[in-house]
Every structure is written in structure tokens, then in C-alpha cells.
Amino acid sequence: ETGVTQTPRHLVMGMTNKKSLKCEQHLGHNAMYWYKQSAKKPLELMFVYSLEERVENNSVPSRFSPECPNSSHLFLHLHTLQPEDSALYLCASSQEFETAYNEQFFGPGTRLTVL
Amino acid sequence: AQTVTQSQPEMSVQEAETVTLSCTYDTSESDYYLFWYKQPPSRQMILVIRQEAYKQQNATENRFSVNFQKAAKSFSLKISDSQLGDAAMYFCAYRSGPYSGAGSYQLTFGKGTKLSVIP
């Protein structure tokens, strides 16, 4: 266990559904991240929050909407997804975003399948 | 933009033997950090080892060590006395340092190497 939990672990949704992924960290960290992990591709950083403010947004389609209500929780709201959005979505946290040496702690991921 | 290349999609090693996973990166920065992360089949990724570019000494963590060749932009991971629990995906990652002027401290990952350990 890394101290980062994600729910649900598996999610199947239709293209017209709306769902949310949840991430919670119990480490007292100030930075949280969403990554997309697809087969045969490097991990793609989607969003970064530092002290509940979004500091990175890597040209992610608007059908993905992040929310960080406090430093311990991070959500990824999903709507009108496409089949190519099927992937493993990983959440991570670190002490601070700006400190390059900081280790990132990852959650187990949510396996998303879009039908 | 920085890129990280792991040229070995899959590797295997006999239990108790040594294996080396390769990683190369492309950057014009002199201040950066390099990481190896391990993702076991249960999918929770963990940090294995990290290296600061300004340090000439190679990092070591128990059975894990790196061969950091800054001029060649190479950062390989050596696993000694391989164990069944070492079977996982291994990701090499790069991050700009605070004095690089990059303005972004994202981790850039390679595609990963799947390591199998043969009993």
C-alpha cells in the first residue's frame, strides 16, 4: 500500500454516461496528479494540482474534468467519452509539485472501459 | 521537449541472476533527475531508485543500482540476485530540476520494460 487509494477499481461505461473517478491520499501531500496509462504508450500526465490549484493541464479533452476540493481528494469527472479513452487511470501524490526530487506515490488505478 | 526511450519492451532473467534494463533520454538541460519506477501486476507503481544529474556517483538501493552515464544520456537499472517479486513493468522517468529553467516539473516516462523472472 502506498497511501493512495482509488475507487472504483474497474469501470465500464457507455459513451453517453457520466461517471467520476475518485482518488484519496493519506500522506499529507500537497500535490496530486492524474495519469492515463494505455498499452504500448508511456504514461501520459493529464492534470496536476498543487495546494488545490490546477498547475498543469496537458491538452486534455474537455470530456475529462478534474476537481480537487481539498489536498487529500482528487476527482476525475467523465462524460461523453470515446472508446479510445479506455485505459488505466492512475492517481498519484507527492509532497510538493515544485521539488523535483520528490517521489510520487501512485494509487492502484481505475481500469476504464468505454463501450 | 524531453524524451525517454526504453528499447527493451520485454526481458527475462533467471532467479538469482543479474539483469540490466536500459534507458536513454534526450535533453538539453543540465539540471534534472532520473527515476526508475516498478509496477507489479497488482498495478500500484512504486519508486525503485532515483539519481540526481549533478551527482557523479551511481545510486544504489540494496539489490538495485544504476549506471548513470550523463554524457551518453544513459540511465540503466541493474537488478542483482533477481527474485520472483521483481517481476513487473519497469519505467524510466525524467524530471527537470529547479535550476533548469524548464518551468515545468512533470515526470516524463518511457514506455516501460516488462521483466519476467524465471524460477
Side-chain angles (χ1 to χ4, degrees):
Chain A
E1 289 295 328
T2 61
V4 181
T5 58
Q6 290 186 243
T7 54
R9 296 292 301 273
H10 300 271
L11 178 63
V12 179
M13 59 187 289
M15 293 169 62
T16 58
N17 291 158
K18 289 184 179 181
K19 296 286 185 183
S20 295
L21 309 184
K22 179 182 176 183
C23 175
E24 184 173 0
Q25 57 97 357
H26 312 274
L27 302 168
H29 288 166
N30 292 325
M32 296 187 77
Y33 311 76
W34 278 118
Y35 288 91
K36 176 182 179 182
Q37 186 176 22
S38 305
K40 311 295 185 186
K41 294 178 68 175
L43 266 76
E44 300 171 67
L45 179 65
M46 300 175 71
F47 302 104
V48 181
Y49 277 82
S50 178
L51 296 172
E52 300 149 47
E53 287 192 22
R54 192 188 308 180
V55 295
E56 296 276 352
N57 178 354
N58 284 356
S59 303
V60 179
S62 60
R63 57 186 183 270
F64 294 91
S65 175
E67 179 189 2
C68 188
N70 56 63
S71 59
S72 298
H73 294 86
L74 185 65
F75 294 89
L76 188 62
H77 304 298
L78 316 171
H79 64 97
T80 59
L81 294 190
Q82 305 298 311
E84 60 265 29
D85 297 323
S86 299
L88 183 67
Y89 288 84
L90 294 173
C91 174
S93 71
S94 67
Q95 184 62 50
E96 296 167 353
F97 176 58
E98 293 81 5
T99 304
Y101 194 71
N102 277 176
E103 174 183 356
Q104 290 188 17
F105 291 79
F106 286 82
T110 295
R111 172 66 65 187
L112 174 67
T113 303
V114 181
L115 301 176
Chain B
Q2 290 75 30
T3 58
V4 177
T5 302
Q6 294 179 249
S7 59
Q8 307 150 316
E10 294 188 29
M11 289 195 73
S12 62
V13 62
Q14 204 78 30
E15 197 175 2
E17 296 296 309
T18 295
V19 65
T20 299
L21 309 184
S22 65
C23 172
T24 58
Y25 57 95
D26 186 24
T27 185
S28 58
E29 299 170 345
S30 59
D31 178 31
Y32 53 88
Y33 296 79
L34 296 165
F35 305 82
W36 277 100
Y37 278 87
K38 170 187 177 181
Q39 188 180 37
S42 65
R43 300 179 304 182
Q44 203 143 3
M45 199 174 312
I46 57 173
L47 177 68
V48 175
I49 199 166
R50 57 188 153 191
Q51 173 84 41
E52 300 99 313
Y54 64 85
K55 286 189 176 180
Q56 293 186 342
Q57 187 172 8
N58 289 326
T60 62
E61 287 287 344
N62 301 314
R63 297 183 296 108
F64 298 87
S65 61
V66 299
N67 183 4
F68 174 48
Q69 302 288 328
K70 191 171 184 178
K73 297 179 184 176
S74 171
F75 182 62
S76 60
L77 174 70
K78 185 171 84 170
I79 307 174
S80 303
D81 186 26
S82 297
Q83 301 175 0
L84 294 177
D86 295 333
M89 284 290 292
Y90 286 82
F91 294 94
C92 179
Y94 172 104
R95 195 177 196 199
S96 298
Y99 305 107
S100 65
S104 173
Y105 304 111
Q106 298 183 24
L107 272 175
T108 300
F109 286 86
K111 291 184 179 181
T113 296
K114 182 179 180 181
L115 178 67
S116 301
V117 180
I118 304 165

Short mmCIF file of all heavy atoms in Angstrom, two decimals, chain A residues 34-73:
data_model
loop_
_atom_site.label_atom_id
_atom_site.label_comp_id
_atom_site.label_asym_id
_atom_site.label_seq_id
_atom_site.Cartn_x
_atom_site.Cartn_y
_atom_site.Cartn_z
N TRP A 34 -3.23 13.24 -12.07
CA TRP A 34 -3.94 12.22 -12.84
C TRP A 34 -3.07 11.85 -14.05
O TRP A 34 -2.60 12.72 -14.78
CB TRP A 34 -5.28 12.71 -13.36
CG TRP A 34 -6.41 12.66 -12.38
CD1 TRP A 34 -7.14 13.70 -11.91
CD2 TRP A 34 -6.98 11.47 -11.79
NE1 TRP A 34 -8.10 13.25 -11.03
CE2 TRP A 34 -8.04 11.90 -10.94
CE3 TRP A 34 -6.71 10.10 -11.86
CZ2 TRP A 34 -8.80 11.01 -10.18
CZ3 TRP A 34 -7.47 9.23 -11.11
CH2 TRP A 34 -8.51 9.67 -10.28
N TYR A 35 -2.89 10.52 -14.24
CA TYR A 35 -2.18 9.99 -15.39
C TYR A 35 -3.10 9.04 -16.14
O TYR A 35 -3.93 8.36 -15.55
CB TYR A 35 -0.95 9.18 -14.97
CG TYR A 35 0.21 9.97 -14.45
CD1 TYR A 35 0.33 10.23 -13.09
CD2 TYR A 35 1.22 10.41 -15.30
CE1 TYR A 35 1.43 10.94 -12.59
CE2 TYR A 35 2.32 11.12 -14.82
CZ TYR A 35 2.41 11.36 -13.46
OH TYR A 35 3.49 12.05 -12.97
N LYS A 36 -2.85 8.93 -17.45
CA LYS A 36 -3.52 7.93 -18.28
C LYS A 36 -2.46 6.93 -18.73
O LYS A 36 -1.41 7.33 -19.25
CB LYS A 36 -4.17 8.59 -19.50
CG LYS A 36 -4.82 7.60 -20.47
CD LYS A 36 -5.39 8.31 -21.68
CE LYS A 36 -6.02 7.33 -22.66
NZ LYS A 36 -6.54 8.02 -23.88
N GLN A 37 -2.74 5.65 -18.52
CA GLN A 37 -1.81 4.61 -18.94
C GLN A 37 -2.48 3.72 -19.97
O GLN A 37 -3.41 2.98 -19.65
CB GLN A 37 -1.33 3.78 -17.75
CG GLN A 37 -0.26 2.77 -18.12
CD GLN A 37 0.28 2.01 -16.93
OE1 GLN A 37 -0.36 1.89 -15.89
NE2 GLN A 37 1.49 1.47 -17.06
N SER A 38 -2.01 3.82 -21.21
CA SER A 38 -2.53 2.99 -22.29
C SER A 38 -1.46 1.98 -22.69
O SER A 38 -0.26 2.22 -22.50
CB SER A 38 -2.87 3.86 -23.51
OG SER A 38 -3.75 4.89 -23.16
N ALA A 39 -1.91 0.87 -23.23
CA ALA A 39 -0.97 -0.17 -23.65
C ALA A 39 0.00 0.37 -24.69
O ALA A 39 -0.38 1.13 -25.57
CB ALA A 39 -1.75 -1.36 -24.22
N LYS A 40 1.25 0.00 -24.55
CA LYS A 40 2.30 0.32 -25.52
C LYS A 40 2.63 1.80 -25.61
O LYS A 40 3.28 2.25 -26.54
CB LYS A 40 1.93 -0.18 -26.94
CG LYS A 40 1.46 -1.61 -27.00
CD LYS A 40 2.53 -2.60 -26.63
CE LYS A 40 2.03 -4.03 -26.83
NZ LYS A 40 2.99 -5.04 -26.35
N LYS A 41 2.15 2.58 -24.66
CA LYS A 41 2.43 4.02 -24.66
C LYS A 41 2.98 4.44 -23.31
O LYS A 41 2.65 3.83 -22.29
CB LYS A 41 1.16 4.81 -24.96
CG LYS A 41 0.60 4.61 -26.35
CD LYS A 41 -0.69 5.39 -26.54
CE LYS A 41 -0.47 6.88 -26.56
NZ LYS A 41 -1.73 7.62 -26.87
N PRO A 42 3.77 5.49 -23.28
CA PRO A 42 4.24 5.99 -21.97
C PRO A 42 3.07 6.55 -21.16
O PRO A 42 2.06 6.96 -21.73
CB PRO A 42 5.21 7.11 -22.35
CG PRO A 42 5.53 6.91 -23.78
CD PRO A 42 4.36 6.25 -24.39
N LEU A 43 3.27 6.59 -19.86
CA LEU A 43 2.27 7.26 -19.03
C LEU A 43 2.12 8.71 -19.49
O LEU A 43 3.10 9.40 -19.72
CB LEU A 43 2.70 7.26 -17.56
CG LEU A 43 2.19 6.15 -16.68
CD1 LEU A 43 2.96 4.88 -16.98
CD2 LEU A 43 2.34 6.52 -15.22
N GLU A 44 0.88 9.13 -19.58
CA GLU A 44 0.60 10.49 -20.00
C GLU A 44 0.06 11.28 -18.81
O GLU A 44 -0.97 10.92 -18.25
CB GLU A 44 -0.45 10.50 -21.11
CG GLU A 44 -0.07 9.74 -22.35
CD GLU A 44 -1.28 9.62 -23.29
OE1 GLU A 44 -1.73 10.64 -23.83
OE2 GLU A 44 -1.78 8.49 -23.44
N LEU A 45 0.74 12.36 -18.47
CA LEU A 45 0.24 13.23 -17.41
C LEU A 45 -0.95 14.01 -17.94
O LEU A 45 -0.89 14.62 -19.01
CB LEU A 45 1.33 14.18 -16.95
CG LEU A 45 0.93 15.17 -15.86
CD1 LEU A 45 0.61 14.44 -14.56
CD2 LEU A 45 2.04 16.18 -15.63
N MET A 46 -2.04 13.99 -17.17
CA MET A 46 -3.24 14.71 -17.60
C MET A 46 -3.37 16.04 -16.84
O MET A 46 -3.50 17.09 -17.45
CB MET A 46 -4.48 13.85 -17.34
CG MET A 46 -4.47 12.53 -18.07
SD MET A 46 -5.88 11.49 -17.62
CE MET A 46 -7.23 12.37 -18.42
N PHE A 47 -3.35 15.95 -15.52
CA PHE A 47 -3.57 17.14 -14.69
C PHE A 47 -2.67 17.07 -13.46
O PHE A 47 -2.36 16.00 -12.97
CB PHE A 47 -5.03 17.23 -14.21
CG PHE A 47 -6.04 17.26 -15.31
CD1 PHE A 47 -6.79 16.13 -15.61
CD2 PHE A 47 -6.28 18.43 -16.03
CE1 PHE A 47 -7.75 16.16 -16.62
CE2 PHE A 47 -7.23 18.47 -17.03
CZ PHE A 47 -7.96 17.33 -17.33
N VAL A 48 -2.31 18.26 -12.98
CA VAL A 48 -1.60 18.38 -11.72
C VAL A 48 -2.29 19.43 -10.87
O VAL A 48 -2.62 20.52 -11.37
CB VAL A 48 -0.12 18.80 -11.92
CG1 VAL A 48 0.59 18.88 -10.56
CG2 VAL A 48 0.61 17.85 -12.85
N TYR A 49 -2.47 19.12 -9.60
CA TYR A 49 -2.97 20.09 -8.65
C TYR A 49 -1.93 20.27 -7.55
O TYR A 49 -1.37 19.31 -7.03
CB TYR A 49 -4.29 19.61 -8.02
CG TYR A 49 -5.50 19.91 -8.87
CD1 TYR A 49 -5.85 19.09 -9.94
CD2 TYR A 49 -6.28 21.05 -8.62
CE1 TYR A 49 -6.95 19.38 -10.72
CE2 TYR A 49 -7.38 21.34 -9.40
CZ TYR A 49 -7.71 20.50 -10.46
OH TYR A 49 -8.79 20.79 -11.24
N SER A 50 -1.67 21.52 -7.24
CA SER A 50 -0.77 21.86 -6.15
C SER A 50 -1.52 22.76 -5.20
O SER A 50 -1.99 23.84 -5.61
CB SER A 50 0.49 22.56 -6.67
OG SER A 50 1.34 22.92 -5.60
N LEU A 51 -1.66 22.34 -3.96
CA LEU A 51 -2.43 23.10 -2.97
C LEU A 51 -3.81 23.46 -3.51
O LEU A 51 -4.26 24.60 -3.41
CB LEU A 51 -1.66 24.35 -2.54
CG LEU A 51 -0.34 24.07 -1.83
CD1 LEU A 51 0.45 25.36 -1.62
CD2 LEU A 51 -0.61 23.39 -0.48
N GLU A 52 -4.42 22.47 -4.13
CA GLU A 52 -5.79 22.55 -4.64
C GLU A 52 -5.95 23.47 -5.84
O GLU A 52 -7.07 23.70 -6.29
CB GLU A 52 -6.76 22.99 -3.52
CG GLU A 52 -6.77 22.01 -2.35
CD GLU A 52 -7.06 22.70 -1.03
OE1 GLU A 52 -8.01 23.50 -0.99
OE2 GLU A 52 -6.33 22.44 -0.04
N GLU A 53 -4.86 23.94 -6.40
CA GLU A 53 -4.94 24.73 -7.63
C GLU A 53 -4.35 23.94 -8.79
O GLU A 53 -3.29 23.33 -8.66
CB GLU A 53 -4.17 26.05 -7.47
CG GLU A 53 -4.86 27.05 -6.59
CD GLU A 53 -4.23 28.43 -6.69
OE1 GLU A 53 -3.57 28.71 -7.72
OE2 GLU A 53 -4.38 29.20 -5.75
N ARG A 54 -5.04 23.99 -9.93
CA ARG A 54 -4.53 23.28 -11.09
C ARG A 54 -3.31 24.01 -11.64
O ARG A 54 -3.36 25.20 -11.93
CB ARG A 54 -5.60 23.17 -12.18
CG ARG A 54 -5.23 22.21 -13.28
CD ARG A 54 -6.19 22.26 -14.45
NE ARG A 54 -7.58 22.11 -14.07
CZ ARG A 54 -8.58 22.13 -14.95
NH1 ARG A 54 -8.32 22.29 -16.24
NH2 ARG A 54 -9.82 21.99 -14.56
N VAL A 55 -2.20 23.29 -11.77
CA VAL A 55 -0.97 23.92 -12.25
C VAL A 55 -0.52 23.36 -13.59
O VAL A 55 0.36 23.94 -14.23
CB VAL A 55 0.16 23.81 -11.22
CG1 VAL A 55 -0.18 24.59 -9.97
CG2 VAL A 55 0.45 22.35 -10.85
N GLU A 56 -1.05 22.22 -14.00
CA GLU A 56 -0.70 21.64 -15.29
C GLU A 56 -1.96 21.06 -15.90
O GLU A 56 -2.76 20.43 -15.21
CB GLU A 56 0.34 20.53 -15.14
CG GLU A 56 1.69 20.95 -14.61
CD GLU A 56 2.62 21.50 -15.69
OE1 GLU A 56 2.27 21.41 -16.87
OE2 GLU A 56 3.69 22.00 -15.32
N ASN A 57 -2.10 21.29 -17.19
CA ASN A 57 -3.23 20.72 -17.92
C ASN A 57 -2.71 20.42 -19.31
O ASN A 57 -2.54 21.32 -20.13
CB ASN A 57 -4.39 21.72 -17.97
CG ASN A 57 -5.57 21.19 -18.77
OD1 ASN A 57 -5.51 20.13 -19.37
ND2 ASN A 57 -6.66 21.92 -18.77
N ASN A 58 -2.42 19.17 -19.55
CA ASN A 58 -1.71 18.81 -20.78
C ASN A 58 -2.64 18.55 -21.95
O ASN A 58 -2.72 17.44 -22.46
CB ASN A 58 -0.83 17.58 -20.50
CG ASN A 58 0.40 17.95 -19.72
OD1 ASN A 58 0.64 19.12 -19.46
ND2 ASN A 58 1.18 16.96 -19.34
N SER A 59 -3.32 19.58 -22.38
CA SER A 59 -4.15 19.49 -23.59
C SER A 59 -5.10 18.30 -23.53
O SER A 59 -5.23 17.54 -24.49
CB SER A 59 -3.27 19.37 -24.84
OG SER A 59 -2.39 20.46 -24.92
N VAL A 60 -5.71 18.14 -22.40
CA VAL A 60 -6.66 17.04 -22.22
C VAL A 60 -8.03 17.47 -22.73
O VAL A 60 -8.47 18.59 -22.47
CB VAL A 60 -6.74 16.65 -20.73
CG1 VAL A 60 -7.75 15.54 -20.51
CG2 VAL A 60 -5.36 16.26 -20.21
N PRO A 61 -8.74 16.59 -23.46
CA PRO A 61 -10.07 16.95 -23.96
C PRO A 61 -11.01 17.33 -22.83
O PRO A 61 -10.91 16.81 -21.70
CB PRO A 61 -10.54 15.66 -24.66
CG PRO A 61 -9.29 14.93 -25.00
CD PRO A 61 -8.30 15.25 -23.92
N SER A 62 -11.94 18.20 -23.13
CA SER A 62 -12.85 18.72 -22.11
C SER A 62 -13.81 17.67 -21.57
O SER A 62 -14.49 17.93 -20.57
CB SER A 62 -13.64 19.91 -22.67
OG SER A 62 -14.39 19.50 -23.79
N ARG A 63 -13.88 16.52 -22.19
CA ARG A 63 -14.74 15.46 -21.66
C ARG A 63 -14.17 14.89 -20.36
O ARG A 63 -14.82 14.10 -19.68
CB ARG A 63 -14.96 14.36 -22.70
CG ARG A 63 -13.70 13.71 -23.25
CD ARG A 63 -14.09 12.74 -24.36
NE ARG A 63 -12.94 12.02 -24.90
CZ ARG A 63 -12.22 12.45 -25.91
NH1 ARG A 63 -12.52 13.59 -26.51
NH2 ARG A 63 -11.18 11.73 -26.34
N PHE A 64 -12.92 15.27 -20.05
CA PHE A 64 -12.31 14.93 -18.76
C PHE A 64 -12.28 16.22 -17.93
O PHE A 64 -11.66 17.21 -18.36
CB PHE A 64 -10.89 14.41 -18.93
CG PHE A 64 -10.80 13.11 -19.65
CD1 PHE A 64 -10.64 13.08 -21.02
CD2 PHE A 64 -10.88 11.92 -18.96
CE1 PHE A 64 -10.56 11.87 -21.70
CE2 PHE A 64 -10.79 10.70 -19.63
CZ PHE A 64 -10.64 10.69 -21.00
N SER A 65 -12.86 16.18 -16.75
CA SER A 65 -12.93 17.38 -15.92
C SER A 65 -12.44 17.05 -14.52
O SER A 65 -13.08 16.28 -13.80
CB SER A 65 -14.37 17.87 -15.88
OG SER A 65 -14.49 18.97 -15.00
N PRO A 66 -11.29 17.61 -14.10
CA PRO A 66 -10.79 17.30 -12.77
C PRO A 66 -11.40 18.22 -11.72
O PRO A 66 -11.87 19.32 -12.02
CB PRO A 66 -9.29 17.58 -12.91
CG PRO A 66 -9.23 18.70 -13.91
CD PRO A 66 -10.38 18.47 -14.86
N GLU A 67 -11.35 17.74 -10.48
CA GLU A 67 -11.80 18.54 -9.36
C GLU A 67 -10.96 18.18 -8.15
O GLU A 67 -10.74 17.00 -7.88
CB GLU A 67 -13.27 18.28 -9.05
CG GLU A 67 -13.81 19.06 -7.86
CD GLU A 67 -15.20 18.61 -7.44
OE1 GLU A 67 -15.75 17.67 -8.05
OE2 GLU A 67 -15.72 19.19 -6.47
N CYS A 68 -10.50 19.19 -7.44
CA CYS A 68 -9.68 18.96 -6.24
C CYS A 68 -10.27 19.79 -5.10
O CYS A 68 -9.87 20.94 -4.89
CB CYS A 68 -8.23 19.35 -6.50
SG CYS A 68 -7.09 18.91 -5.17
N PRO A 69 -11.22 19.25 -4.36
CA PRO A 69 -11.89 20.01 -3.30
C PRO A 69 -11.00 20.29 -2.10
O PRO A 69 -11.22 21.29 -1.39
CB PRO A 69 -13.06 19.10 -2.90
CG PRO A 69 -12.62 17.73 -3.29
CD PRO A 69 -11.75 17.89 -4.50
N ASN A 70 -10.01 19.46 -1.88
CA ASN A 70 -9.03 19.69 -0.80
C ASN A 70 -7.77 18.90 -1.15
O ASN A 70 -7.75 18.14 -2.11
CB ASN A 70 -9.60 19.30 0.57
CG ASN A 70 -10.07 17.86 0.59
OD1 ASN A 70 -9.30 16.94 0.41
ND2 ASN A 70 -11.39 17.68 0.80
N SER A 71 -6.75 19.07 -0.36
CA SER A 71 -5.45 18.49 -0.73
C SER A 71 -5.41 16.97 -0.62
O SER A 71 -4.47 16.34 -1.07
CB SER A 71 -4.33 19.10 0.12
OG SER A 71 -4.59 18.87 1.49
N SER A 72 -6.45 16.38 -0.03
CA SER A 72 -6.46 14.92 0.14
C SER A 72 -7.28 14.20 -0.91
O SER A 72 -7.18 12.98 -1.04
CB SER A 72 -7.01 14.54 1.52
OG SER A 72 -6.20 15.06 2.54
N HIS A 73 -8.11 14.93 -1.63
CA HIS A 73 -9.04 14.30 -2.57
C HIS A 73 -8.90 14.89 -3.96
O HIS A 73 -8.74 16.09 -4.14
CB HIS A 73 -10.48 14.47 -2.09
CG HIS A 73 -10.79 13.74 -0.83
ND1 HIS A 73 -10.56 14.30 0.41
CD2 HIS A 73 -11.27 12.49 -0.61
CE1 HIS A 73 -10.91 13.42 1.34
NE2 HIS A 73 -11.35 12.33 0.76
#
